[in-house]
Amino acid sequence: MSGQTRNLRSVLRTAGCRITGQRKLLLELMQIHSGHLDAHELYRLARERDPRLSLSTIYRTLGLLHELGLVNELHLGEEHHHYEIAPAAAHHHLVCASCGKIVEFGSSLTEKLTAAVAREHNFEITEASIDLTGYCADCRAARRRGEAANPQS
Amino acid sequence: MSGQTRNLRSVLRTAGCRITGQRKLLLELMQIHSGHLDAHELYRLARERDPRLSLSTIYRTLGLLHELGLVNELHLGEEHHHYEIAPAAAHHHLVCASCGKIVEFGSSLTEKLTAAVAREHNFEITEASIDLTGYCADCRAARRRGEAANPQS
DNA sequence: ATGGCTGCAAAAGTTTTGCACTTCT
DNA sequence: AGAAGTGCAAAACTTTTGCAGCCAT
């Protein structure tokens, strides 16, 4: 678990940033919940371990990590931002509208797509965000059985 | 111009909603500026014609139109929401990070992509949002000449 | 020791809501 | 007339900022 942690820390250090307890904690939490956290969720988790940690620190840290390219800022649902540790390989999101489950996917088609669009519109593309929404197999099955879908834990 | 307007109005009417002056105005503005407006921009434009119109009405109207599927809610930049009249054919967005220009694109590749992902993950996909960010030809040229990029009007 | 980082509190910005009043049908 | 819609003001919520003190380096 600490291989990736050390990696992230070294980027911070190289950038001339200090490795504080708060930053260590947040980095670790983002890795454990390798998924997609929003600021409040992260705040809640962090305060279980360090009750004095403030929401400003969350935002400042996420902003910093985002600037350094260590985390991505996602705009998935209708609401606020979500963040994820920036993956080495590009990937995108498939969201279940019923239970909120988020599945990551990657596909060679996505690269073909961005290349085609870049060529056609003479853009230099630096970021691609592909978010698909729909219903997962579980929720479709539950719906067929007349059950309510349960939101993700 | 009123062909599309009548179309939108009839959807409202069918849904049992009233056609008020405010709604007519907002619908018309969204069509004239067929592009991607945020709530404040729309508010500003609307008040030029009806200075009493309130921001709540903007949000309530956009929410209503969104529910009826007449407008899409976009989460392009980092900030607040943008809205656009829902196009008949799916299209997606290419945003210049320098001048803010938004280009719409559609591609048969996008449909292949969603179909492939749906099959692979056993999802029923209802919405696809593909947003590419980068630099347009103009801004790249300006940068080469050492000029600052001008934000879009 | 010193400058970056944090917590706190307050502000700024976006979106929602309660309520009295207006207006479409 | 009656219900849906609106304006206004206030609240809720997310995110940012100023500042005094703290702590990695």
Side-chain angles (χ1 to χ4, degrees):
Chain A
M1 171 193 305
S2 71
Q4 173 79 342
T5 301
R6 191 155 56 233
N7 177 17
L8 294 184
R9 284 194 201 170
S10 67
V11 177
L12 276 192
R13 197 168 274 133
T14 305
C17 299
R18 292 183 181 166
I19 313 295
T20 64
Q22 292 90 331
R23 287 177 180 171
K24 275 191 276 194
L25 173 56
L26 295 180
L27 242 35
E28 190 189 330
L29 286 175
M30 294 206 63
Q31 279 167 171
I32 293 174
H33 305 262
S34 65
H36 310 79
L37 295 167
D38 58 30
H40 242 95
E41 188 76 3
L42 187 54
Y43 182 52
R44 200 180 54 70
L45 289 169
R47 282 180 78 111
E48 286 175 10
R49 295 233 227 135
D50 175 359
R52 289 188 31 112
L53 190 138
S54 75
L55 195 49
S56 336
T57 296
I58 301 277
Y59 280 110
R60 282 189 281 228
T61 303
L62 287 172
L64 173 66
L65 295 178
H66 182 50
E67 258 179 41
L68 294 177
L70 297 180
V71 307
N72 290 333
E73 217 179 64
L74 309 174
H75 310 272
L76 292 174
E78 321 275 301
E79 316 100 48
H80 43 296
H81 302 167
H82 285 237
Y83 298 84
E84 69 175 0
I85 295 228
H91 74 226
H92 305 288
H93 302 94
L94 181 52
V95 185
C96 177
S98 178
C99 68
K101 183 190 303 169
I102 300 174
V103 177
E104 300 175 355
F105 70 90
S107 161
S108 60
L109 275 175
T110 64
E111 282 140 47
K112 278 189 200 143
L113 175 66
T114 58
V117 174
R119 196 177 335 108
E120 186 173 346
H121 295 278
N122 196 7
F123 259 66
E124 175 192 331
I125 293 183
T126 56
E127 252 187 85
S129 153
I130 303 186
D131 299 313
L132 307 180
T133 308
Y135 296 93
C136 69
D138 291 347
C139 287
R140 293 210 310 288
R143 201 200 314 164
R144 259 180 258 119
R145 292 197 304 275
E147 293 170 16
N150 357 346
Q152 186 185 27
S153 71
Chain B
M1 171 195 302
S2 71
Q4 173 79 343
T5 301
R6 192 155 55 232
N7 176 19
L8 294 185
R9 283 194 202 170
S10 66
V11 177
L12 275 192
R13 198 167 275 133
T14 304
C17 298
R18 292 181 182 168
I19 312 297
T20 64
Q22 292 91 329
R23 287 177 180 171
K24 275 191 276 194
L25 173 56
L26 296 181
L27 243 35
E28 189 188 332
L29 286 174
M30 294 207 62
Q31 280 168 169
I32 293 174
H33 305 263
S34 65
H36 311 78
L37 295 168
D38 57 32
H40 242 94
E41 187 76 5
L42 187 54
Y43 182 54
R44 201 180 54 69
L45 290 168
R47 283 181 79 111
E48 286 175 10
R49 295 235 225 135
D50 175 358
R52 289 187 31 116
L53 189 139
S54 77
L55 194 51
S56 335
T57 296
I58 301 276
Y59 279 109
R60 281 190 281 228
T61 303
L62 287 172
L64 173 66
L65 296 178
H66 181 51
E67 258 179 41
L68 295 176
L70 297 180
V71 307
N72 290 332
E73 217 179 64
L74 310 175
H75 310 271
L76 293 173
E78 321 276 299
E79 315 100 46
H80 44 297
H81 302 167
H82 286 238
Y83 299 83
E84 70 175 1
I85 295 230
H91 73 226
H92 305 287
H93 302 94
L94 181 52
V95 185
C96 178
S98 178
C99 68
K101 182 191 303 170
I102 300 174
V103 177
E104 299 174 356
F105 70 89
S107 161
S108 60
L109 276 177
T110 63
E111 282 140 49
K112 278 188 201 147
L113 176 65
T114 57
V117 174
R119 194 174 340 105
E120 187 172 346
H121 296 278
N122 196 7
F123 259 66
E124 174 193 332
I125 293 183
T126 54
E127 253 187 84
S129 152
I130 303 185
D131 300 312
L132 307 179
T133 309
Y135 295 95
C136 70
D138 292 348
C139 287
R140 294 210 308 289
R143 200 201 313 165
R144 258 180 257 119
R145 292 197 304 274
E147 293 170 16
N150 357 348
Q152 185 186 26
S153 71

Coordinates of all heavy atoms in Angstrom, one line a residue, chain A residues 17-18 20 22-23 52-54 56-57 60, chain C residues 1-10 15:
Chain A
C17 N 6.7 21.1 -1.6 CA 5.6 21.2 -0.6 C 5.9 20.3 0.6 O 6.7 19.3 0.5 CB 4.3 20.6 -1.2 SG 3.8 21.5 -2.6
R18 N 5.4 20.7 1.7 CA 5.7 20.0 3.0 C 4.8 18.8 3.1 O 3.6 18.8 2.7 CB 5.5 20.9 4.2 CG 6.6 21.9 4.2 CD 6.5 22.8 5.4 NE 7.5 23.8 5.4 CZ 7.5 24.9 6.1 NH1 6.6 25.1 7.0 NH2 8.5 25.7 6.0
T20 N 2.8 17.1 5.5 CA 2.2 17.3 6.8 C 1.3 16.1 7.2 O 1.0 15.3 6.3 CB 1.3 18.6 6.9 OG1 0.2 18.4 6.0 CG2 2.1 19.8 6.5
Q22 N -1.7 16.1 8.0 CA -3.0 16.2 7.3 C -2.9 15.7 5.8 O -3.7 14.9 5.3 CB -3.5 17.6 7.2 CG -3.9 18.2 8.6 CD -2.7 18.8 9.3 OE1 -1.6 18.5 9.1 NE2 -3.0 19.8 10.1
R23 N -1.8 16.1 5.2 CA -1.7 15.6 3.8 C -1.5 14.1 3.7 O -2.0 13.5 2.8 CB -0.5 16.4 3.1 CG -0.9 17.8 2.8 CD 0.2 18.7 2.3 NE -0.2 20.0 2.0 CZ 0.5 21.0 1.7 NH1 1.9 20.8 1.5 NH2 0.0 22.2 1.5
R52 N -9.7 17.4 14.4 CA -9.4 18.9 14.3 C -9.3 19.3 12.8 O -9.2 20.5 12.5 CB -8.2 19.3 15.1 CG -8.4 19.2 16.6 CD -7.2 19.8 17.3 NE -6.6 20.8 16.5 CZ -6.6 22.1 16.8 NH1 -7.1 22.5 17.9 NH2 -6.0 23.0 16.0
L53 N -9.1 18.4 11.9 CA -8.9 18.7 10.5 C -10.1 19.5 10.0 O -11.2 19.2 10.2 CB -8.7 17.4 9.7 CG -8.2 17.6 8.3 CD1 -7.1 16.6 8.0 CD2 -9.3 17.6 7.3
S54 N -9.7 20.5 9.2 CA -10.8 21.4 8.8 C -11.2 21.2 7.3 O -10.3 20.7 6.5 CB -10.4 22.9 9.0 OG -9.5 23.3 8.0
S56 N -11.5 23.5 5.1 CA -10.6 24.3 4.3 C -9.4 23.5 3.8 O -8.9 23.6 2.7 CB -10.1 25.6 5.0 OG -10.9 26.0 6.0
T57 N -8.8 22.8 4.8 CA -7.7 22.0 4.5 C -8.0 20.9 3.4 O -7.2 20.7 2.5 CB -7.1 21.3 5.7 OG1 -6.7 22.3 6.6 CG2 -6.0 20.4 5.4
R60 N -8.1 22.9 0.2 CA -6.8 23.4 -0.2 C -5.9 22.2 -0.7 O -5.2 22.3 -1.7 CB -6.1 24.1 0.9 CG -6.6 25.5 1.1 CD -5.9 26.4 2.1 NE -6.2 26.1 3.4 CZ -6.5 27.0 4.3 NH1 -6.5 28.3 4.0 NH2 -6.9 26.7 5.5
Chain C
dA1 P 15.4 31.0 17.1 OP1 16.2 32.1 17.5 OP2 14.0 30.9 17.4 O5' 15.7 30.8 15.5 C5' 16.4 31.8 14.7 C4' 15.8 31.8 13.3 O4' 15.4 30.5 13.0 C3' 14.5 32.6 13.3 O3' 14.3 33.2 12.0 C2' 13.4 31.6 13.6 C1' 14.0 30.4 12.8 N9 13.5 29.1 13.4 C8 13.1 28.9 14.7 N7 12.7 27.6 14.9 C5 12.9 27.0 13.6 C6 12.7 25.7 13.2 N6 12.2 24.8 14.0 N1 12.9 25.5 11.9 C2 13.4 26.5 11.1 N3 13.6 27.7 11.5 C4 13.4 28.0 12.7
dT2 P 14.8 34.1 11.1 OP1 16.2 33.7 10.8 OP2 14.5 35.4 11.5 O5' 13.9 33.7 9.8 C5' 14.3 32.5 9.0 C4' 13.0 32.0 8.3 O4' 12.5 30.8 8.9 C3' 11.8 33.0 8.3 O3' 11.1 32.8 7.1 C2' 11.0 32.5 9.4 C1' 11.1 31.0 9.2 N1 10.7 30.1 10.3 C2 10.6 28.8 10.0 O2 10.8 28.3 9.0 N3 10.2 28.0 11.1 C4 9.9 28.5 12.4 O4 9.6 27.7 13.3 C5 10.1 29.9 12.6 C7 9.8 30.5 13.9 C6 10.5 30.6 11.5
dG3 P 11.3 33.7 5.7 OP1 12.7 33.5 5.4 OP2 10.8 35.0 5.9 O5' 10.4 32.9 4.7 C5' 10.9 31.6 4.2 C4' 9.8 30.6 4.2 O4' 9.4 30.2 5.6 C3' 8.5 31.1 3.5 O3' 8.0 30.1 2.8 C2' 7.6 31.5 4.7 C1' 8.0 30.4 5.7 N9 7.7 30.7 7.1 C8 7.7 31.9 7.7 N7 7.5 31.9 9.0 C5 7.3 30.5 9.3 C6 7.1 29.8 10.5 O6 6.9 30.3 11.6 N1 7.0 28.5 10.3 C2 7.1 27.8 9.1 N2 7.0 26.5 9.1 N3 7.4 28.4 8.0 C4 7.5 29.8 8.1
dG4 P 6.9 30.2 1.6 OP1 7.6 30.3 0.4 OP2 6.0 31.3 2.1 O5' 6.2 28.8 1.7 C5' 6.9 27.6 1.9 C4' 6.1 26.7 2.7 O4' 6.0 27.1 4.1 C3' 4.7 26.5 2.2 O3' 4.4 25.1 2.3 C2' 3.8 27.3 3.2 C1' 4.6 27.1 4.4 N9 4.5 28.2 5.4 C8 4.6 29.6 5.2 N7 4.4 30.3 6.2 C5 4.1 29.4 7.2 C6 3.8 29.6 8.6 O6 3.8 30.7 9.2 N1 3.6 28.4 9.3 C2 3.6 27.2 8.7 N2 3.3 26.1 9.5 N3 3.9 27.0 7.4 C4 4.1 28.1 6.7
dC5 P 3.1 24.5 1.8 OP1 3.4 23.1 1.3 OP2 2.4 25.5 0.9 O5' 2.2 24.3 3.1 C5' 2.7 23.5 4.2 C4' 1.7 23.4 5.3 O4' 1.7 24.6 6.1 C3' 0.2 23.3 4.8 O3' -0.3 22.2 5.4 C2' -0.4 24.6 5.2 C1' 0.4 25.1 6.4 N1 0.5 26.5 6.5 C2 0.3 27.1 7.8 O2 0.0 26.4 8.7 N3 0.5 28.5 7.9 C4 0.8 29.2 6.9 N4 0.9 30.5 7.1 C5 1.0 28.7 5.6 C6 0.9 27.3 5.4
dT6 P -1.9 21.8 5.4 OP1 -2.0 20.4 5.5 OP2 -2.4 22.6 4.2 O5' -2.4 22.5 6.7 C5' -2.0 22.0 8.0 C4' -2.7 22.7 9.1 O4' -2.4 24.1 9.1 C3' -4.2 22.6 8.9 O3' -4.8 22.0 10.1 C2' -4.7 24.0 8.8 C1' -3.6 24.9 9.3 N1 -3.3 26.1 8.6 C2 -3.3 27.3 9.3 O2 -3.5 27.4 10.5 N3 -3.1 28.4 8.5 C4 -2.9 28.5 7.1 O4 -2.7 29.5 6.6 C5 -2.9 27.2 6.5 C7 -2.7 27.2 5.0 C6 -3.1 26.1 7.2
dG7 P -6.3 21.5 10.1 OP1 -6.3 20.2 10.8 OP2 -6.8 21.6 8.8 O5' -6.9 22.6 11.0 C5' -6.4 22.8 12.3 C4' -7.1 24.0 13.0 O4' -6.7 25.2 12.3 C3' -8.6 24.0 12.9 O3' -9.1 24.4 14.2 C2' -9.0 25.0 11.8 C1' -7.8 26.0 11.9 N9 -7.4 26.6 10.6 C8 -7.4 25.9 9.4 N7 -7.0 26.7 8.4 C5 -6.8 27.9 9.0 C6 -6.4 29.1 8.4 O6 -6.1 29.4 7.2 N1 -6.3 30.2 9.3 C2 -6.6 30.0 10.6 N2 -6.5 31.1 11.4 N3 -7.0 28.9 11.2 C4 -7.1 27.9 10.3
dC8 P -10.6 24.2 14.6 OP1 -10.6 23.8 16.0 OP2 -11.2 23.4 13.5 O5' -11.2 25.7 14.5 C5' -10.5 26.8 15.1 C4' -10.9 28.1 14.6 O4' -10.3 28.3 13.3 C3' -12.4 28.2 14.3 O3' -13.0 29.2 15.2 C2' -12.6 28.5 12.8 C1' -11.2 29.1 12.5 N1 -10.8 28.9 11.1 C2 -10.2 30.0 10.4 O2 -10.1 31.1 11.0 N3 -9.8 29.9 9.1 C4 -10.0 28.7 8.5 N4 -9.6 28.6 7.3 C5 -10.6 27.6 9.2 C6 -11.0 27.7 10.5
dA9 P -14.5 29.4 15.3 OP1 -14.8 29.7 16.7 OP2 -15.2 28.3 14.6 O5' -14.8 30.8 14.5 C5' -13.7 31.7 14.4 C4' -14.0 32.7 13.3 O4' -13.4 32.2 12.1 C3' -15.5 32.9 13.0 O3' -15.8 34.2 12.7 C2' -15.7 32.0 11.9 C1' -14.4 32.2 11.1 N9 -14.1 31.2 10.1 C8 -14.4 29.8 10.2 N7 -14.0 29.1 9.2 C5 -13.4 30.1 8.4 C6 -12.8 30.0 7.1 N6 -12.6 28.8 6.5 N1 -12.2 31.1 6.6 C2 -12.4 32.3 7.3 N3 -12.9 32.5 8.4 C4 -13.5 31.3 8.9
dA10 P -17.3 34.8 12.5 OP1 -17.8 35.2 13.8 OP2 -18.0 33.8 11.7 O5' -17.0 36.1 11.6 C5' -15.7 36.3 11.0 C4' -15.8 36.4 9.5 O4' -15.5 35.1 8.9 C3' -17.2 36.8 8.9 O3' -17.0 37.8 8.0 C2' -17.7 35.5 8.3 C1' -16.3 34.9 7.8 N9 -16.3 33.5 7.5 C8 -17.0 32.5 8.2 N7 -16.8 31.3 7.7 C5 -16.0 31.5 6.5 C6 -15.5 30.7 5.5 N6 -15.7 29.3 5.5 N1 -14.8 31.2 4.5 C2 -14.6 32.6 4.6 N3 -15.0 33.5 5.5 C4 -15.8 32.9 6.4
dT15 P -25.5 26.9 -10.1 OP1 -25.0 25.6 -10.7 OP2 -25.9 28.0 -11.0 O5' -26.7 26.5 -9.1 C5' -26.6 25.5 -8.2 C4' -27.7 25.4 -7.2 O4' -27.6 26.6 -6.4 C3' -29.1 25.4 -7.8 O3' -29.7 24.2 -7.3 C2' -29.8 26.6 -7.2 C1' -28.9 26.9 -6.0 N1 -28.9 28.3 -5.5 C2 -29.3 28.6 -4.2 O2 -29.7 27.7 -3.4 N3 -29.3 29.9 -3.8 C4 -29.0 31.0 -4.6 O4 -29.0 32.1 -4.2 C5 -28.6 30.6 -6.0 C7 -28.2 31.7 -6.9 C6 -28.6 29.3 -6.3

